[in-house]
Amino acid sequence: MKVIALEGPSYAGKSTAVRYLRTRGIEERAFVSDCYVQHIARRTDIPPARTASAAEQLAAFEKFMDIEGARVRRALVNAKPVVLLDRSVDTLLAHAHALDALFGYDVHHRLRDRLQELPFLRPHHTLYLDVPAEELALRRKAAGHTAAESEYFLHEPAFLAHARDYFVSAAQPPVSGEVAVIPADTSRDAVSHAVEALITYWTR
């Protein structure tokens, strides 16, 4: 079973790429799992992006890992040769890495240790969609979300820089076996086609 993950900041184009792949018949050969937050029924139950303490960050991780366990079970039941994830456990580790750097929570290593006790889908390949902060802000504005979320922690420059660092610097290697970076500040079609090309290459 080949596991491939799509990663990148919010509004980078991950979900758009997944929708495109679905129109191209990806689900005939792949189990496709949407982003963690799509598995939480009520928006108010989604853990905050900006947790207030290390304990709160650890609790958020456990909630998302409950979802990860369900992903594992569904992938095994589907028994398809490819698993495609809109975000993987590396999202959770990148988030913790950023909060450690910003607020000194010191939880990243604890989460990595905790993973040894939990079932999770370890990606063989990860596609990181790399988009500058300025472009992300424009996309969020175009989507009409700036008024409802005037302060969006996930797009704060310092958070974006540290989360990106987790995927591209290799200082603390991601769980994924390989990370390929795709410059994604182009059109949605171009990004979707680039994602499709790499997935096709890895799964042929």
Side-chain angles (χ1 to χ4, degrees):
M1 184 171 65
K2 180 69 65 72
V3 182
I4 300 173
L6 286 175
E7 295 283 2
S10 298
Y11 299 90
K14 299 179 299 299
S15 297
T16 298
V18 170
R19 285 194 297 271
Y20 170 77
L21 291 169
R22 281 177 161 141
T23 69
R24 301 280 289 173
I26 188 70
E27 289 176 300
E28 295 174 6
R29 59 191 177 92
F31 165 69
V32 181
S33 184
D34 293 321
C35 180
Y36 289 105
V37 296
Q38 301 301 319
H39 295 266
I40 299 176
R42 297 185 303 175
R43 185 176 179 83
T44 53
D45 291 338
I46 299 173
R50 164 62 168 99
T51 50
S53 66
E56 193 172 306
Q57 184 61 25
L58 292 170
F61 174 82
E62 293 294 338
K63 185 174 186 67
F64 287 128
M65 288 306 295
D66 286 342
I67 297 169
E68 183 68 16
R71 278 174 142 188
V72 171
R73 292 189 292 274
R74 286 190 61 196
L76 293 175
V77 167
N78 277 270
K80 291 185 177 178
V82 178
V83 174
L84 179 62
L85 306 174
D86 183 346
R87 297 193 183 277
S88 72
V89 291
D90 275 320
T91 282
L92 310 180
L93 294 175
H95 200 102
H97 171 75
L99 295 187
D100 279 5
L102 292 171
F103 309 119
Y105 286 170
D106 194 28
V107 298
H108 182 270
H109 69 285
R110 295 167 65 181
L111 301 190
R112 294 190 85 102
D113 291 344
R114 179 74 175 115
L115 280 178
Q116 306 311 310
E117 306 168 7
L118 297 169
F120 65 95
L121 293 163
R122 183 186 301 273
H124 297 88
H125 304 283
T126 290
L127 294 171
Y128 181 80
L129 305 186
D130 196 18
V131 184
E134 298 80 5
E135 175 64 21
L136 293 172
L138 290 173
R139 292 180 183 182
R140 183 166 155 264
K141 183 176 181 179
H145 295 164
T146 53
E149 302 172 334
S150 58
E151 295 184 7
Y152 191 60
F153 178 71
L154 294 176
H155 279 186
E156 289 187 2
F159 176 85
L160 285 171
H162 290 300
R164 179 182 186 274
D165 177 71
Y166 171 80
F167 286 102
V168 305
S169 75
Q172 290 192 320
V175 168
S176 178
E178 176 188 13
V179 178
V181 179
I182 296 180
D185 52 348
T186 55
S187 71
R188 291 183 177 183
D189 285 348
V191 173
S192 295
H193 293 161
V195 168
E196 182 183 31
L198 270 173
I199 289 175
T200 300
Y201 173 75
W202 284 329
T203 59
R204 64 187 178 184

